[in-house]
Each structure stands twice: as C-alpha cells, then as structure tokens.
C-alpha cells in the first residue's frame, strides 16, 4: 500500500501541468493588457495636460488683448482721460487674474512690471503719454512669454497652431502697424519723412494681411472637426476688405496729399483697428473652443481605449475559461480510464504496452486485463485508441497555447510601438529638429529644476549664452544649406568640449545655451567658456569651403538659487551682448551693473522712438570744412543731435549705435537726409551727409535718394554722401554696384574714417568715390609720432594717385594743420576751425562771407 500511495496519479499530473500553463498565459495576457491600458492612459493624460495648459494661455491672452486695444487707443488719443482710466482698470483686472496663472505660465517677473506700471499710472503727477511706449513693450513681452510657457508655440496640430500664429504674431503685428500709422496721420513729424514711413508701413501691413489669409486658410483646411465656421471666415473677409479699402485710400493720399482726406483716413483707420481687435477676440474664443474640443476628444479616446482593452481582456479570459473547461472535461474522461488502468498491476500494464508495441496483442491484452477489470477493453485496439485520444488532446492544447503566446507577442509589439511613439512626441516637443539638441522649452524646464536644487544643496549654477558671430554673413554669402551644415558642425564641437553632465540647448537661430550645475567655484564655468570660444579657432570645411567662425559668450551665475531661471537667461543674454559689443570672439560674466545699463538702454530706445515722432527733439548741427591752402570755408558736414527732454543736448555717440541695432536708424536717416538736402538748397552750399550700413542695406534706398533730390529741388552736386569701409565687409560687389547707382544721380561720394576699416586696395580702386576722409586717430598724434606722419603721407599719396581729394578730420592744433598742409592735404575739419553749429550760425557765417566778397 505504501508503494502504491507514492505513485503519482496520472490524471492529477496532467491537470496540474495544463493548468499551470494556461494560468501563466492568462496572467501574461492580463499583465500586457493592463500595461497597455496604463500606457494609453499616460499618453492621453499627457496630451490632455498639454492642451489644458494651452487653454490657460489662451484664456490669459484675452484680457491682455483687451488691454492692448485700450493702450493703442490711448496712444492715438493721449489727452483722453476716459481712456486713461480704462487702461488703469484693465491693469487692475489683469492684476486680479495674475495670481492664478503666474505659476503655471512663469510670469512672475512680468507681473512685477505691470504692478509698477499700474502704480505709476495711478499717480497724478505722471504724464500718461510717457508711459505708452513702456505699456506697449510690456504687453508685447508678456504676450510672447505666455505663448512660450503655455505650449501654444509648441502646438503640433495645424489648425490650432495657425490660429495661434494669428493671435501671437499676425494680429498683434497688424494692430501695432495700424496704431503707428494712425499716430503718424494724426501728428505727422515731417512733410516727406512721415509719408515715407507710412509707405513702408503700408507695405508691411499688406504683407501681414497676406500672411493672415494663409494662416486662416491653413487652419480651415486642417480642421476636420469643423469648428472653424463659415461665419468666422466671412467676418475675416469683411475685416480684410475694410483694411484693404483703408490701405487703398492711404495709397491714394500718399500720391496726392490732402488734409481733408487725412482726417477721413484717421477715422477709417481707427475703425479698422477696432475691427482687428474684435477679430482677435473672436480668434481667441475660437482657439479656446478648439482646444476644449480636442481635450474632449482625448478624453473619449482614453475611455474608448479602456473599453477596448477591457473587452479584449474579458474575451481572452472567457476564451481561456471555456478552453480550460473543455480540456478539463476531456482530461477527466482520460483520468477515469487511467485510474481504472492504475487499479491493475502497473508493472503488468507496462509489459502490456511493450508487448503492444512489439505486436504481441494477445499478451498485451492479457497483461492489462488480469486481476481487476473496472475498465473494459473490448478489443486489442482499445489501448491504442486511448493513446491517440490523449495525443490529439495534447496537440489541441499546444495549438491553443501557441495562439495565446502569439497574441501576447502582438500585444508586446503594440506596447513597444506606443512607447516609441510617446518617445518621439516627447523628443519633438523638447528638441531642435536641425541639431537634435534640447530646445528652449526643455532648457527652461531643466534650468528651473537646477536653480531649485542649487537652493536646496547650497551650490552654484552657471548658464552660458552663446551667439555665433557673423552668422548672417554665412547665410547671405553661401546660402542657408551651408548655414545649417555650419550649425551642425559647431554643435559637434560644443558637445566635444562640454563636460558629460552639462546640458547644451539651441535657443533658436545661431544662439545656444549651456547649463552647468554643482559648481564649487566660478572658475570652472569661466574655463569652459574659454574652451568653447577656442573650439572654433580651427576652420570648418563645408562643401569644399573653408569657414571660420567665433562665439560671443555671456555667463550668468545663480548662487544657492538666488537668481530665478528666467532672470538667469536674461542676465546671460545681457552679458553676451556686452561681449559682442566689445569686439566679439570672447566671453564676459554678468555684472549687476549690466542690468541697470540694459534697463537704461530700454528706456533710451523708448525715448528715441518718441523723439522720431516729434518735431522738436532731433535736430541737425553742421561742422564747417576749410580748404587748408587758403583757409577758405568751402563745405559743411551734417551731424545729428538730440534735444532730450530731461538730459538736454545729447551727443550721437549715445544714441546712434542704439538706432543702428534697433533699426531706428532707417527712419532717422531719412529725416536727416531730407533735412540736410533742404538746408543745402536754402544755402546753395555743399553739405555732407553720413549714411549708415542699415540705410544702404534697406531696399529702395537709391529710389529714396532720387525722390529726396526731386522733392527738395537741391542740386545733386551739393550733396556728398559719406560711407564707411565696413560696407565692404559683407558683400563688396553689391555695395560697389549700389554706390555706382548713387553716383549716377549726380551726388558726390566720400569714404569716411579711412584707415580704420577693412577695405582692400582693389575695393578702393573700384569704388566710385570722390573723397577720402582720414580718420582723426591718425591726425591726433601728428607732430608727435613720425609713424603717424608716415601713414598719413602714404594715404595722401594714395589718394592723389587715384585722383581723390583728401579731408582730414579732428584737427585741433595749429601744428597738426601745418603738418597736414606740408603733406599736401586738401581740406581740414575740426575744433581748430569750429565746433558743430546750429543752422542759423552757419547762415550768418555764409552771409558774412558773401558780404565780404561783394565788398571786395
């Protein structure tokens, strides 16, 4: 009995084995289904959170747009007290909704700016008109900030992306241009200059309308949900028609100025601006509805995915249960038969099976039926049929198991594809497509975490802001394809020189950021900055071209989290611009004084914009030029000055460079050119006018010069246009062709600041210039330095060989004049003769000279 009890029961063994396999398959299937469900939920929840943040941004932009409308209207009507009170109310309303959004949108710094503006606006002593430029700039910066931090600019869907393009770029650009045009129409700053400015703005506004059409059309074409109604399209068409009518009327007015028509234009333009803001409000609501519909779709797909997975899981489990029951019933039958066989002698059964295999059927039958026969074997083939039944059952179970395994593998592949799709979405949202580096959104996220860790761990974080020097020259000279290759090659060098734990991101264009954490000293960041600046010393070979490049680099530190992520980026940006101003190709660490300078620069820019719209701030002074051989007064050079409301008469050294950087030099240059030509006509006396690089690069400058000559009626020979050698750096052939076109108008040309620029002898030979103006740095040491005397003598000899006249700048002493006269220089200019003077003083001087000539 003991031996018999130790023998395992065959039915139990089979049931146990099959049950374990089926249980394992069902468990694997359930686990994969649950994991797939979790992945689907995670993906949809990420998409929902992304879209919900966009909704927050769109909701915040609406009151911001309403504030913009009030600010622009107030700028057009600076004396309207009701508008000023409305602006103050809008600021207070914005302040009331700031707290619920400032954390989500990271707009704490912008909130402080608006609080300051609201406080200043509440003071009776503050002139509201002086705050409009700051208000406009603050609104514009907050608009961009909200679009950036709310994912709206990262939106991957074409319909909402193009609506966002309308809200953040196209409509604000249109509203700013319309507002600027209306201010010009209400209070023109000059008979010709303001009309030229209007012509330029007219062209920009037409381009803006064209881009709006494209954005809205693309949004319609890529909106299968049909949320963009035909009514919206018709309202947009009405807005466009109204603005085009305004632009057509403006074009007619610019061709034939009429004061009555100008007043009508102002009213028509004001209506167009109001319509633009109404459409902006409608676009905001439409975008919000579109995002809400998208969130609802994500929710439906999420729960739909749950239902599908649950259905698959229930079906699989039901199938498994039915299969288990079927196999169980069959196995029970087999088990009963095996139990019956087991009731006999197991040894005899084994002998019977062997005999059966050897063909001795009678012996097999006798061996299996001796002693007890609860299982009746009616023929010698009964045992064979039993074996075949077991084999068939085993084969069916194997096929079922293989099918379940195949299903498991399919679900595993689907899970991996889903993970890969999620990885790609995350990568696209947080990485630059060209270089593969993290983008601005990712860097700001990492930077915020880094500053938090620095505060917790009492460590230092450094941010390096890198800007590629002269990248525009590469794009203009070799094309954008080479420019893209250059950026990729530079990224490889950055990655090779950076530390393993550093984060390198592309901010956009040719700007990069490097995040360095856990610093024990500033020297580590400074050393890395030096290495990165030196990384580009070796030339890059791209498409057979040898290119040299360099970085201007700014460094900012957050010690123990004392500087926020956004301020850190701003500080590094300020330091980078300071490095660029100091000659490029090196690095500078941020100093708190730079922040104050940046704020002063912003204020100066705002004040300069206001000065351009007024008649009494910018003015021209004229410095006399004398012939050295007989000390005769023969010409003047026009020099711009600024009668600043608070600082008084301001030297161009303080604002010309700023005007160049901001592009304000273009409208300023037009005003200078027109005023100088008017003065030359009034005096019938030669006047020199300095031209900036931005002016000459501006399309249509030759046409503008021709128009100014016609409108003022001045003889072209009385005007001398002065250009610098820096014009020859970017595109010498184009510049020389442009100078030839100017020369054909009959004006004279001079090369200013000769000796400190970059022109080669070939360029000097090909340029159609009449005069060389030797820079004051060479004149300053005449009589003291034999080297400078030799340089000036060589310049004079070169000019004489090319049949050019010579003007020496900065003559301050009699010894300098004597030396230059000895070297056969033609003309002189400097404090020795006269400082820059007002027009009436030059008029008196000319009248005195003419009186003496008549008396003689």
């Amino acid at each position: 009995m003991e031996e018999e009890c130790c023998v395992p029961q065959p039915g139990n063994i089979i049931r146990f084995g099959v049950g374990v396999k089926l249980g394992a398959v069902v468990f694997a299937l359930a686990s994969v289904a649950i994991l797939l469900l979790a992945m689907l939920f995670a993906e949809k929840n990420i998409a929902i959170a992304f879209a919900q943040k966009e909704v927050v941004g769109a909701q915040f932009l609406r009151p911001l747009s309403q504030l913009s409308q009030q600010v622009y209207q107030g700028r057009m009507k600076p004396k309207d007290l009701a508008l000023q009170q409305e602006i103050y109310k809008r600021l207070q309303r914005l302040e009331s909704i700031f707290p619920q959004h400032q954390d989500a949108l990271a707009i704490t710094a912008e909130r402080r700016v608006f609080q300051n503006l609201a406080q200043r606006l509440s003071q009776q002593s503050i002139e509201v008109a002086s705050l409009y430029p700051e208000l406009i700039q603050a609104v514009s910066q907050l608009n961009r900030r909200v679009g950036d931090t709310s994912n709206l600019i990262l939106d991957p869907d074409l319909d909402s992306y193009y609506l966002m393009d309308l809200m953040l770029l196209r409509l604000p650009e249109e509203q700013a241009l319309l507002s600027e045009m209306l201010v010009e129409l209400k209070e023109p700053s000059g008979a010709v200059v303001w009309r030229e400015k209007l012509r330029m703005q007219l062209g920009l506004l037409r381009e803006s309308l064209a881009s709006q059409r494209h954005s809205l059309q693309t949004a319609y074409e890529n909106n299968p949900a049909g949320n963009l109604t035909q009514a919206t399209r018709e309202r947009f068409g009405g807005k466009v028609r109204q603005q085009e009518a305004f632009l057509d009327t403006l074009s007619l007015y610019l061709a034939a100025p009429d004061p009555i028509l100008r007043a009508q234009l102002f009213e028509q333009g004001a209506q167009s601006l109001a319509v633009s803001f109404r459409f902006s409000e409608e676009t905001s609501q439409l975008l919000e509805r579109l995002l809400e519909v998208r969130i609802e779709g994500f929710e439906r797909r999420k729960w739909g995915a749950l239902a599908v997975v649950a259905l698959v899981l229930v079906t699989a489990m039901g199938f498994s249960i039915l299969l288990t029951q079927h196999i169980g019933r069959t196995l029970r039958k087999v088990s009963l038969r095996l139990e019956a066989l087991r009731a006999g002698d197991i040894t005899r059964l084994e002998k019977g099976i062997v005999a059966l295999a050897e063909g001795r059927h009678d012996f097999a039958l006798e061996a299996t039926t001796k002693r007890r026969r609860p299982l009746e074997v009616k023929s010698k083939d009964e045992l064979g049929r039993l074996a075949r039944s077991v084999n068939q059952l085993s084969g069916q179970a194997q096929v079922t198991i293989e099918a379940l395994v195949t299903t498991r593998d399919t679900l595993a592949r689907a899970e991996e594809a889903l993970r890969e799709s999620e990885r790609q979405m995350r990568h696209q949202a947080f990485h630059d497509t060209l270089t593969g580096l993290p983008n601005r959104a990712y860097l700001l996220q990492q930077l915020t975490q880094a500053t938090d860790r620095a505060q917790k761990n009492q460590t230092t974080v450094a941010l390096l802001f890198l800007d590629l020097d002269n990248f525009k020259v590469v794009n203009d000279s070799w094309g954008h394809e080479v420019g893209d290759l250059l950026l990729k090659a530079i990224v490889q060098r950055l990655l090779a020189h950076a530390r393993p734990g550093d984060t390198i991101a592309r901010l956009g264009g040719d700007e990069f950021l490097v995040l360095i954490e856990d610093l024990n000293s500033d020297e580590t960041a400074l050393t890395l900055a030096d290495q990165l600046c030196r990384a580009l010393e070796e030339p890059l070979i791209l498409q057979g071209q040898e290119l040299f490049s360099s970085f201007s680099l700014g460094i900012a530190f957050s010690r123990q989290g004392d500087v926020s992520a956004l301020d850190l980026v701003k500080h590094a940006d300020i330091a980078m611009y300071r490095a660029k101003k100091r000659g490029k190709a090196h690095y500078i660490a941020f100093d708190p004084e730079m922040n104050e300078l940046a704020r002063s620069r912003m204020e100066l820019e705002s004040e300069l914009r206001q000065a351009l719209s007024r008649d009494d701030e910018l003015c021209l002074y004229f410095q006399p030029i004398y012939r050295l051989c007989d000390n005769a007064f023969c010409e003047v050079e026009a020099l711009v000055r600024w009668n600043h409301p608070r600082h008084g008469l301001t030297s161009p050294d303080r604002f010309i460079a700023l005007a160049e950087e901001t592009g304000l030099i273009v409208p300023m240059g037009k005003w200078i050119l027109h005023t100088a030509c008017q003065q030359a006509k009034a005096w019938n006396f030669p006047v020199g006018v300095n031209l900036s690089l931005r002016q000459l690069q501006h399309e249509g400058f030759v046409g503008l010069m021709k128009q100014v000559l016609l409108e003022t009626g001045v003889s072209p020979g009385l005007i001398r246009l002065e250009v610098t050698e820096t014009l020859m750096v970017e595109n010498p052939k184009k510049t020389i062709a442009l100078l030839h076109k100017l020369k054909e108008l009959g004006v004279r040309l001079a090369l200013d600041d000769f000796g400190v620029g970059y022109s080669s002898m070939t360029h000097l030979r090909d340029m159609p210039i009449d005069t060389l103006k030797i820079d004051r740095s060479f004149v300053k040491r005449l009589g003291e330095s034999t080297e400078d005397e030799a340089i000036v003598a060589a310049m004079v000899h070169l000019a004489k060989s090319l049949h050019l006249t010579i003007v020496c700048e900065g003559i301050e002493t009699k010894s300098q004049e004597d030396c230059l006269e000895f070297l056969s220089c033609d003309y002189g200019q400097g404090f020795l003769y006269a400082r820059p003077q007002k027009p009436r003083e030059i008029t008196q001087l000319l009248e005195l000279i003419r009186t003496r000539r008549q008396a003689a």
Side-chain angles (χ1 to χ4, degrees):
M1 288 297 295
E2 291 179 2
E3 180 180 353
E4 191 171 288
C5 292
C6 294
V7 176
Q9 298 182 7
N12 291 337
I13 293 174
I14 294 174
R15 282 195 295 272
F16 178 77
V18 174
V20 168
K21 291 181 180 179
L22 285 175
V25 172
V26 172
F27 177 77
L29 183 62
S31 299
V32 171
I34 293 171
L35 182 60
L36 179 61
L37 177 63
M39 294 293 293
L40 287 171
F41 257 69
E43 181 195 10
K44 297 307 176 187
N45 285 334
I46 290 172
I48 290 170
F50 194 94
Q52 286 173 340
K53 199 169 185 182
E54 288 184 281
V55 171
V56 172
Q59 290 174 344
F60 190 83
L61 286 174
R62 192 177 303 163
L64 197 58
S65 176
Q66 294 168 352
L67 174 63
S68 301
Q69 182 176 6
Q70 299 298 329
V71 170
Y72 282 134
Q73 290 178 349
R75 188 185 177 204
M76 290 185 292
K77 302 176 181 179
K79 304 299 182 183
D80 193 330
L81 184 60
L83 273 177
Q84 295 171 9
Q85 293 174 345
E86 184 65 27
I87 291 172
Y88 182 64
K89 291 178 182 178
R90 293 285 181 186
L91 283 174
Q92 289 181 317
R93 179 168 178 244
L94 203 62
E95 170 59 25
S96 67
I97 64 175
F98 252 117
Q100 64 193 66
H101 293 92
Q102 66 180 15
D103 292 334
L105 301 177
I107 49 177
T108 304
E110 287 75 11
R111 180 186 180 183
R112 289 196 294 266
V113 172
F114 276 85
Q115 285 176 331
N116 177 50
L117 285 168
Q119 183 179 5
R120 291 165 63 188
L121 195 61
S122 65
Q123 299 175 6
Q124 299 296 327
S125 60
I126 296 294
E127 184 181 354
V128 180
S130 64
L131 292 181
Y132 284 129
E134 292 184 58
L135 279 165
I136 291 172
Q137 186 174 19
V139 169
S140 176
Q141 289 179 345
L142 182 56
N143 194 66
R144 290 193 297 269
R145 182 66 185 158
V146 171
D148 190 14
T149 56
S150 64
N151 302 327
L152 287 166
I153 62 172
L154 299 174
D155 194 319
D157 293 326
L158 287 176
D159 48 8
S160 55
Y161 174 82
Y162 278 97
L163 285 180
M164 203 61 245
D165 181 65
L166 276 174
M167 277 193 63
L168 283 176
L169 296 176
R170 309 305 171 193
L171 290 173
E173 177 188 37
E174 171 192 285
Q175 292 154 8
L177 284 168
L178 278 171
S179 173
E180 188 73 21
M181 294 168 80
L182 293 176
V183 171
E184 289 292 326
L185 282 168
K186 187 171 182 121
E187 299 178 357
S189 56
V192 176
V193 174
W194 75 274
R195 284 205 298 273
E196 283 303 316
K197 188 174 182 180
L198 282 176
R199 283 192 180 93
M200 180 178 67
Q201 291 168 340
L202 186 147
L204 293 174
L205 194 51
R206 289 193 189 280
E207 293 176 4
S208 176
L209 288 175
S211 64
Q212 287 181 50
R213 283 197 193 91
H214 171 73
S215 293
L216 198 65
Q217 182 63 31
T218 307
Y220 271 104
E221 293 172 354
N222 294 277
N223 181 242
N227 302 99
L228 304 182
T229 63
Q230 184 63 28
T232 305
R233 176 183 281 186
E234 291 174 357
R235 279 192 288 273
F236 173 75
K239 177 186 86 73
V240 171
R241 286 191 295 274
Q242 183 173 7
Q243 291 196 357
E244 286 180 340
F246 166 69
L247 296 180
D248 292 340
T249 308
L250 180 60
S251 300
L252 181 65
Y253 169 73
L254 291 175
D258 182 353
I260 298 177
L261 187 58
R262 192 179 79 188
Q264 295 174 352
L265 272 173
F266 181 82
E267 295 301 325
Q268 190 177 356
Q271 293 175 5
S272 297
L273 183 61
V275 169
S276 177
F277 273 105
R278 283 199 297 273
F279 186 74
S280 180
E281 175 77 10
E282 182 174 346
T283 304
S284 173
Q285 295 174 358
L286 186 61
L287 176 67
E288 188 176 338
R289 289 200 302 273
L290 195 63
L291 292 171
E292 290 172 351
V293 168
R294 186 190 302 172
I295 292 173
E296 292 172 2
F298 286 146
E299 291 282 359
R300 286 196 300 272
R301 286 193 287 274
K302 182 176 73 173
W303 295 111
L306 173 62
V308 171
V309 173
L311 181 62
V312 171
L313 183 59
V314 170
T315 302
M317 292 181 68
F319 177 74
S320 301
I321 292 171
L322 291 175
L323 181 62
T324 303
Q325 290 176 347
H326 172 70
I327 293 173
R329 286 194 298 269
T330 306
L331 289 177
R332 278 195 295 273
K333 294 178 182 178
V334 175
S335 177
L336 290 173
R337 294 193 179 188
L338 292 178
E339 287 290 343
L341 290 174
R342 183 179 177 279
D345 192 317
I346 297 301
T347 304
R348 289 178 176 274
L349 180 61
E350 290 175 353
K351 291 180 179 180
I353 292 174
V354 172
L356 183 64
E358 294 176 350
R360 293 179 291 146
H361 304 294
D362 295 335
F363 180 79
L365 185 60
E366 182 184 356
T368 55
T369 57
K370 197 172 182 180
R371 296 180 65 182
R372 290 176 302 193
R373 298 185 59 186
L375 176 66
E376 295 183 1
V377 181
K378 298 179 180 180
S379 68
K380 59 185 179 181
D381 294 329
E382 185 72 22
L383 192 60
R385 285 197 298 272
L386 179 62
R388 285 194 297 273
S389 297
V390 173
N391 289 337
Q392 184 179 5
L393 181 61
S394 176
Q396 291 175 352
Q398 183 65 29
V399 170
T400 303
I401 292 171
E402 289 176 354
L404 292 175
V405 171
T406 302
T407 303
R408 181 197 63 189
D409 294 341
T410 302
L411 290 175
R413 287 193 295 272
E415 175 192 355
E416 182 60 31
L418 183 61
R419 287 178 178 173
E420 180 62 27
S421 175
E422 183 183 4
R423 282 196 295 268
Q424 290 178 357
M425 287 178 60
R426 288 183 177 274
H427 190 275
Q428 291 173 359
F430 292 106
H431 287 78
D432 175 53
T433 55
L434 176 65
T435 62
L437 290 177
N439 60 13
R440 185 176 187 270
Y442 180 85
L443 192 281
L444 287 177
Q445 186 182 76
Q446 295 296 107
L447 189 56
T448 301
Q449 296 173 2
T451 52
D452 292 342
R453 285 193 294 269
Q455 185 176 17
K456 180 180 178 180
N457 302 330
Q458 301 295 297
T459 57
T460 298
V461 172
L463 184 67
L464 278 57
F465 197 119
L466 296 82
D467 183 88
L468 200 59
D469 297 328
N470 302 320
F471 181 65
K472 184 178 183 299
V473 178
V474 175
N475 278 333
D476 293 344
S477 303
W478 305 105
H480 290 276
E481 182 180 355
V482 174
D484 290 346
L485 292 175
L486 176 62
L487 290 176
K488 291 180 181 179
I490 286 172
V491 166
Q492 295 304 315
R493 292 201 177 179
L494 289 179
L495 293 172
H497 287 79
R499 303 186 313 170
D502 298 337
T503 302
I504 302 178
R506 185 186 180 200
L507 189 61
D510 58 346
E511 296 178 336
F512 300 89
L513 292 173
V514 180
L515 172 62
I516 310 173
E517 297 189 59
D518 298 325
L519 291 176
N520 296 321
S521 68
D522 296 352
E523 291 301 321
T524 304
L526 298 174
T527 301
L528 179 59
D530 185 65
Q531 291 175 356
L532 294 179
C533 284
R534 295 180 182 275
L536 297 183
E537 289 183 351
E538 293 296 324
L540 294 163
I541 309 299
L542 302 174
Q543 293 189 348
Q545 304 292 336
E546 187 177 61
L547 299 179
F548 290 86
S549 192
S550 61
F551 277 124
S552 293
L553 195 152
I555 312 170
F557 296 95
S558 177
R559 296 177 176 86
Q560 301 177 10
D562 62 342
V563 179
S564 67
L566 292 176
D567 286 341
L568 199 60
V569 175
K570 183 177 74 172
H571 293 172
D573 189 13
I574 292 172
M576 182 274 294
Y577 273 106
R578 180 60 60 87
K580 194 173 283 290
K581 284 184 178 180
R582 290 189 181 179
K584 306 179 181 180
H586 67 286
Y587 61 90
I588 290 180
F590 175 78
D591 185 275
E593 292 182 0
M594 294 182 186
N595 205 19
E596 184 61 34
L597 291 173
R599 187 178 294 109
S600 300
R601 180 187 180 279
M602 187 178 299
E603 292 178 358
L604 187 66
E605 178 184 345
S606 176
E607 292 169 344
L608 185 57
R609 290 184 184 276
Q610 296 179 53
L612 286 171
S613 64
R614 298 170 181 165
D615 297 329
D616 57 345
E617 290 195 22
L618 292 179
C619 60
L620 287 186
Y621 275 50
F622 298 87
Q623 186 172 27
I625 298 175
Y626 286 82
R627 191 164 50 234
L628 295 181
C629 63
D630 56 4
N631 206 28
F633 177 35
C634 57
E635 195 168 351
V636 293
E637 178 182 357
L639 302 170
V640 67
R641 295 292 186 269
W642 181 8
N643 282 316
H644 195 281
R646 290 183 289 113
H647 305 303
L649 195 64
T650 305
S651 169
D653 295 340
R654 190 177 174 200
F655 63 88
I656 286 295
L658 176 62
E660 284 274 5
E661 293 175 14
T662 58
L664 294 175
I665 194 67
V666 175
M668 182 188 296
K670 291 179 182 178
W671 176 83
I672 293 172
L673 189 61
H674 191 272
T675 305
C677 288
Q678 282 183 324
Q679 199 64 66
K681 169 67 175 177
W683 288 334
N684 192 27
F685 194 72
V687 176
V689 183
N690 291 286
L691 298 181
S692 73
L693 177 62
R694 292 288 289 269
Q695 277 180 279
L696 285 173
Q697 288 177 336
H698 197 270
E699 291 294 331
F701 178 75
V702 176
L704 171 66
M705 186 69 227
K706 184 177 182 180
Q707 183 180 358
V708 169
L709 293 174
L710 290 174
E711 289 181 352
T712 59
V714 66
S715 172
L718 293 177
I719 303 300
R720 187 188 70 236
L721 302 179
E722 300 183 6
V723 299
T724 61
E725 293 174 278
T726 53
L727 292 171
M728 307 307 296
V729 175
E730 293 191 8
N731 195 332
K733 291 183 179 179
K734 183 178 179 180
T735 301
I736 291 173
L738 177 64
L739 294 178
H740 277 286
K741 291 180 181 179
L742 291 173
K743 187 69 175 177
E744 291 172 0
L745 298 179
V747 298
R748 294 175 297 133
L749 299 176
L751 188 61
D752 198 10
D753 300 333
F754 182 68
V756 297
Y758 308 94
S759 63
S760 67
M761 294 301 103
T762 303
H763 296 155
L764 188 62
R765 178 197 64 195
D766 295 336
M767 292 173 68
I769 58 175
D770 306 286
T771 303
L772 281 184
K773 297 191 72 174
I774 297 177
D775 188 71
R776 65 182 67 245
S777 60
F778 299 104
V779 176
K780 183 177 181 180
R781 298 177 60 193
L782 288 180
E784 302 175 3
S785 170
T786 56
E787 291 82 1
D788 284 354
E789 290 181 14
I791 292 173
V792 173
M795 291 179 180
V796 172
H797 179 71
L798 174 64
K800 297 295 183 183
S801 301
L802 296 174
H803 307 291
L804 305 175
T805 57
I806 293 288
V807 177
C808 292
E809 301 176 303
I811 304 176
E812 298 183 359
T813 65
K814 189 67 171 66
S815 61
Q816 293 171 351
E817 180 189 44
D818 293 340
C819 185
L820 291 170
E821 187 175 359
F822 174 76
L823 294 174
S824 300
C825 291
D826 301 312
Y827 300 94
Q829 175 183 0
F831 291 169
L832 176 65
Y833 306 107
R835 292 179 177 271
Q837 300 179 23
K838 296 179 180 179
R840 67 171 180 269
E841 295 172 341
I842 299 295
T843 301
Q844 293 172 358
L845 179 59
L846 289 173
E847 289 176 353
L848 178 62
I849 292 174
R850 288 165 183 162
T851 301
R852 289 178 179 176
R853 286 178 181 173
Q854 291 174 358

